[in-house]
Amino acid sequence: NELIEKLSAKITEDDLISNIREVNQLKVDFDDWLLKSEGKQQVDVLKAKDIGKEIEQIDFSVFKEQFYNLYGSYKENRKKQIELKNQLEDANWKQKNALISELKNLVENEENIGSAFKSFNTIQDTWKKIGDIPRTKRDSVQKEYSRLREMFFYNINMYREIKDHDYKRNAQLKQEVIHKLQS
């Protein structure tokens, strides 16, 4: 049966999570085919009986067993993939929370612009490399990360303004000292 072959092909795919609709459609198609085939066979047997003949009947239970064994295997493997994906997403969520803590510490405590940017870039690169996190936690984690990034850049701008102000003030004081020495 071609539906059994199609299901066999689906089982060998790497991503069993995303092809659920196709597999469910194959199940519906198989159930329809099975129902129609069994019904047609019953009608053919009755017609043959009426004219006094016997026809060989197909044992559809073999097809049914084969299909549903494959379908059960698919569901089991898909469940394992989902569990693995959930574990990976939880691990990624923990990593992102750790990075948020690092970024929060950086925002609150680092005043050296050079080392702050170095640490920030490391955090940002690591953040980008981490995969998906659970969908239910995605928004809150991203909002917190974005909020801390904004605070980081705000602080950096403030440190730069203070530094520029200090340079100007120091230059002004030096000019006053030079002016007094010259006088």
Side-chain angles (χ1 to χ4, degrees):
N1 187 308
E2 81 175 60
L3 296 171
I4 292 173
E5 290 174 14
K6 286 181 181 179
L7 182 58
S8 292
K10 291 291 176 196
I11 289 175
T12 61
E13 290 180 4
D14 290 337
D15 184 9
L16 299 180
I17 296 171
S18 65
N19 67 5
I20 186 70
R21 283 190 176 133
E22 298 165 31
V23 171
N24 284 338
Q25 186 59 50
L26 283 175
K27 182 183 175 296
V28 168
D29 292 347
F30 180 80
D31 289 339
D32 289 347
W33 171 83
L34 187 63
L35 189 63
K36 287 176 187 174
S37 298
E38 287 176 332
K40 183 180 181 316
Q41 180 170 284
Q42 287 174 354
V43 168
D44 290 344
V45 166
L46 290 175
K47 284 181 182 178
K49 229 181 211 181
D50 286 344
I51 60 172
K53 289 186 177 181
E54 278 193 33
I55 61 170
E56 187 179 331
Q57 294 186 34
I58 299 171
D59 185 9
F60 287 105
S61 65
V62 173
F63 292 112
K64 190 174 185 178
E65 183 180 337
Q66 189 178 8
F67 185 87
Y68 279 100
N69 283 342
L70 285 171
Y71 186 72
S73 176
Y74 167 81
K75 286 178 70 172
E76 189 177 305
N77 291 339
R78 183 176 184 275
K79 183 179 176 183
K80 287 177 185 175
Q81 272 192 4
I82 288 172
E83 288 171 2
L84 207 64
K85 180 181 176 237
N86 289 341
Q87 290 172 356
L88 181 63
E89 285 180 348
D90 283 341
N92 290 344
W93 176 69
K94 288 175 184 170
Q95 285 181 308
K96 285 196 174 187
N97 275 336
L99 288 175
I100 284 175
S101 295
E102 278 184 54
L103 185 56
K104 185 175 184 178
N105 185 41
L106 181 68
V107 167
E108 292 173 353
N109 300 319
E110 186 62 59
E111 293 182 12
N112 182 314
I113 295 174
S115 64
F117 263 112
K118 185 177 179 184
S119 297
F120 176 79
N121 287 334
T122 302
I123 290 170
Q124 191 167 11
D125 290 342
T126 307
W127 182 273
K128 290 176 182 177
K129 290 176 186 171
I130 296 174
D132 288 338
I133 63 173
R135 187 171 288 181
T136 57
K137 300 171 183 174
R138 216 173 276 162
D139 283 346
S140 62
V141 168
Q142 190 60 46
K143 282 180 185 175
E144 180 63 9
Y145 180 71
S146 296
R147 184 185 73 80
L148 289 171
R149 282 187 60 198
E150 287 176 19
M151 286 177 62
F152 172 79
F153 286 112
Y154 175 79
N155 287 353
I156 292 297
N157 285 335
M158 293 305 291
Y159 292 143
R160 282 185 178 153
E161 287 179 22
I162 290 170
K163 188 176 168 183
D164 288 346
H165 176 74
D166 286 347
Y167 283 147
K168 287 178 186 175
R169 182 73 182 138
N170 286 342
Q172 183 183 16
L173 292 173
K174 285 178 185 177
Q175 287 297 327
E176 289 175 13
V177 169
I178 290 172
H179 185 65
K180 285 182 184 177
L181 288 175
Q182 288 177 346
S183 306

